[in-house]
Amino acid sequence: MAAVRVQSIAMGGIEAIPSQFIRANHERPALNAPSAKIPLIDMSKLDASPDLLQQTVAEIGSAAQEWGIFQVVNHGVSEDLIRRLQAVGKEFFDLPQEEKETYANNAEEGNLEGYGTKLAHNIEGKLGWTDYYFHLLWPPSRQNFNTWPRRPSSYREVCEEYGREIMGVVDKLLSALSINLGLQECSLKEAIGGENMEMEMKINYYPPCPQPELALGVVPHTDMSALTLLVSNQVPGLQVHKDSNWVAVDYVPNAIIVHIGDTLQILSNGKYKNVFHRSVVSKDKVRMSWPVFCIPPGNKVLAPMKELLDDHSPALFAAKTFADYRRCKINKVDK
Ligand code: OGA
Ligand code: NI
């Protein structure tokens, strides 16, 4: 059965959303949630004097511990490249529906790459107000261009350039996060596979929603990644759970939002927090976001870093390969 796309439903000019999108009362979002001043880090200070480097490492470390999310500026990815990434993503979603369907994925069969819409797990299951595109971005040896959009024709080139640039930002952040734990600079990168670390690109497309107060974009979750680096268009919508409240993340032009995911929570033995987050949608604007998930290869064993363990700090997480971790989380089982 062909999936029904949220974009097509939204284009139908409806005034009320179909019942599968209406969340239970307790899940409905406050669209005027107070905005959160999540930590804002100036990454250029990592290349400055030793004092500034030390201060910035501490800022990144406490943001990862207290919030599990922060924004970075002066990250080295040019404004122009982010603008081009956004333009090619938008151009893809603006293609005729039949053309987008030629890239349809088959999530039910475990084939997530391509164009998709999340399916409900059961008949009462609720849906998020979003379609997406998903493909592996890195390492080059594993890129499968058959699963990437061929239109616009510059998609591939722009996305490859973005992948290379974002890798530089990831490396710097992982170094700072390692130093902050008292580890060797390269420790966390190595723990997630070093050169074999993978990056996945997702484009979230949230069409305008006639009843945004009843719906959610993506439902509350933590990412499984080590880090997720996200840019969005100028429409706000990301919310994070902090001290028992949902707070909205402010849109900061040209900033990249960095999420700590489950993988870093495990490696740091719980010191870094995997941020619980969700997205809300807008009544009259399209929201788009581009998260890049940095993950270990599936066969990499994930366990708390042994340098962080002693008699007083036992391991809080069992060792598992990343593939097993993912399977257990998706299927909600322990083993
Ligand atoms: C995600 C996600 C948030 C957003 O895709 O994992 O959390 O702002 N997206 O779109
Ligand atoms: Ni997420």
Side-chain angles (χ1 to χ4, degrees):
M1 198 179 72
V4 178
R5 305 305 178 187
V6 180
Q7 190 176 3
S8 308
I9 297 172
M11 299 265 281
I14 47 169
E15 278 167 27
I17 60 176
S19 59
Q20 310 97 288
F21 293 98
I22 302 180
R23 315 305 308 191
N25 268 315
H26 70 274
E27 286 186 304
R28 294 184 190 167
L31 298 177
N32 54 355
S35 79
K37 293 276 171 279
I38 66 168
L40 185 68
I41 311 260
D42 177 352
M43 285 185 69
S44 66
K45 295 193 300 183
L46 290 170
D47 301 320
S49 64
D51 279 356
L52 269 181
L53 167 66
Q54 209 180 3
Q55 181 198 324
T56 311
V57 164
E59 281 173 20
I60 293 174
S62 55
Q65 269 172 257
E66 283 160 37
W67 286 85
I69 189 166
F70 49 95
Q71 318 215 33
V72 293
V73 291
N74 294 326
H75 39 63
V77 183
S78 77
E79 211 172 298
D80 175 64
L81 179 56
I82 293 176
R83 196 192 48 71
R84 283 186 287 133
L85 177 81
Q86 295 176 329
V88 292
K90 177 171 184 307
E91 274 178 66
F92 175 80
F93 279 90
D94 287 344
L95 291 175
Q97 197 56 36
E98 312 82 81
E99 186 168 347
K100 292 200 286 283
E101 295 298 345
T102 65
Y103 299 90
N105 69 2
N106 194 339
E108 269 174 304
E109 288 183 9
N111 179 10
L112 282 175
E113 288 192 88
Y115 176 53
T117 306
K118 225 172 174 181
L119 301 168
H121 284 299
N122 56 50
I123 204 101
E124 293 97 50
K126 297 292 178 189
L127 301 171
W129 191 260
T130 178
D131 299 322
Y132 65 85
Y133 202 100
F134 182 77
H135 64 80
L136 195 77
L137 175 65
W138 203 267
S141 60
R142 299 218 28 233
Q143 287 163 336
N144 175 2
F145 297 117
N146 291 326
T147 63
W148 294 31
R150 285 177 288 285
R151 282 222 297 162
S153 57
S154 54
Y155 181 89
R156 173 173 159 178
E157 183 193 316
V158 171
C159 216
E160 284 184 293
E161 188 179 340
Y162 187 70
R164 278 193 301 275
E165 296 287 311
I166 215 77
M167 179 65 92
V169 183
V170 170
D171 283 349
K172 284 189 184 171
L173 290 171
L174 288 173
S175 298
L177 289 162
S178 299
I179 297 171
N180 183 253
L181 291 173
L183 304 172
Q184 298 281 327
E185 207 175 315
C186 57
S187 296
L188 288 174
K189 176 81 187 260
E190 275 169 19
I192 58 176
E195 291 301 296
N196 296 321
M197 181 191 91
E198 297 178 5
M199 296 198 289
E200 300 167 327
M201 166 61 84
K202 187 179 174 205
I203 309 175
N204 289 304
Y205 185 88
Y206 305 100
C209 177
Q211 295 175 294
E213 66 286 357
L214 302 182
L216 284 176
V218 292
V219 299
H221 67 283
T222 59
D223 293 348
M224 288 187 255
S225 56
L227 294 176
T228 304
L229 273 67
L230 179 146
V231 296
S232 73
N233 68 355
Q234 71 292 354
V235 181
L238 176 62
Q239 297 190 344
V240 302
H241 204 242
K242 176 83 164 95
D243 305 329
S244 312
N245 293 309
W246 285 105
V247 289
V249 174
D250 278 340
Y251 171 76
V252 176
N254 301 311
I256 298 175
I257 297 175
V258 181
H259 297 65
I260 304 289
D262 302 346
T263 296
L264 273 195
Q265 186 202 29
I266 296 169
L267 294 173
S268 68
N269 203 29
K271 193 151 182 202
Y272 293 148
K273 176 173 156 185
N274 52 348
V275 65
F276 196 52
H277 59 285
R278 69 179 185 186
S279 57
V280 301
V281 294
S282 152
K283 194 170 175 76
D284 43 26
K285 296 191 181 83
V286 172
R287 174 163 191 268
M288 290 185 72
S289 67
W290 289 259
V292 170
F293 303 101
C294 303
I295 58 168
N299 61 2
K300 186 83 189 164
V301 176
L302 280 189
M305 304 289 288
K306 59 179 185 323
E307 300 90 322
L308 303 178
L309 305 179
D310 60 32
D311 291 347
H312 305 289
S313 312
L316 300 177
F317 304 91
K320 256 185 202 153
T321 64
F322 183 66
D324 272 344
Y325 178 78
R326 205 172 217 186
R327 179 183 51 75
C328 290
K329 184 167 176 179
I330 292 171
N331 299 312
K332 302 193 173 75
V333 295
D334 288 335
K335 278 199 181 127

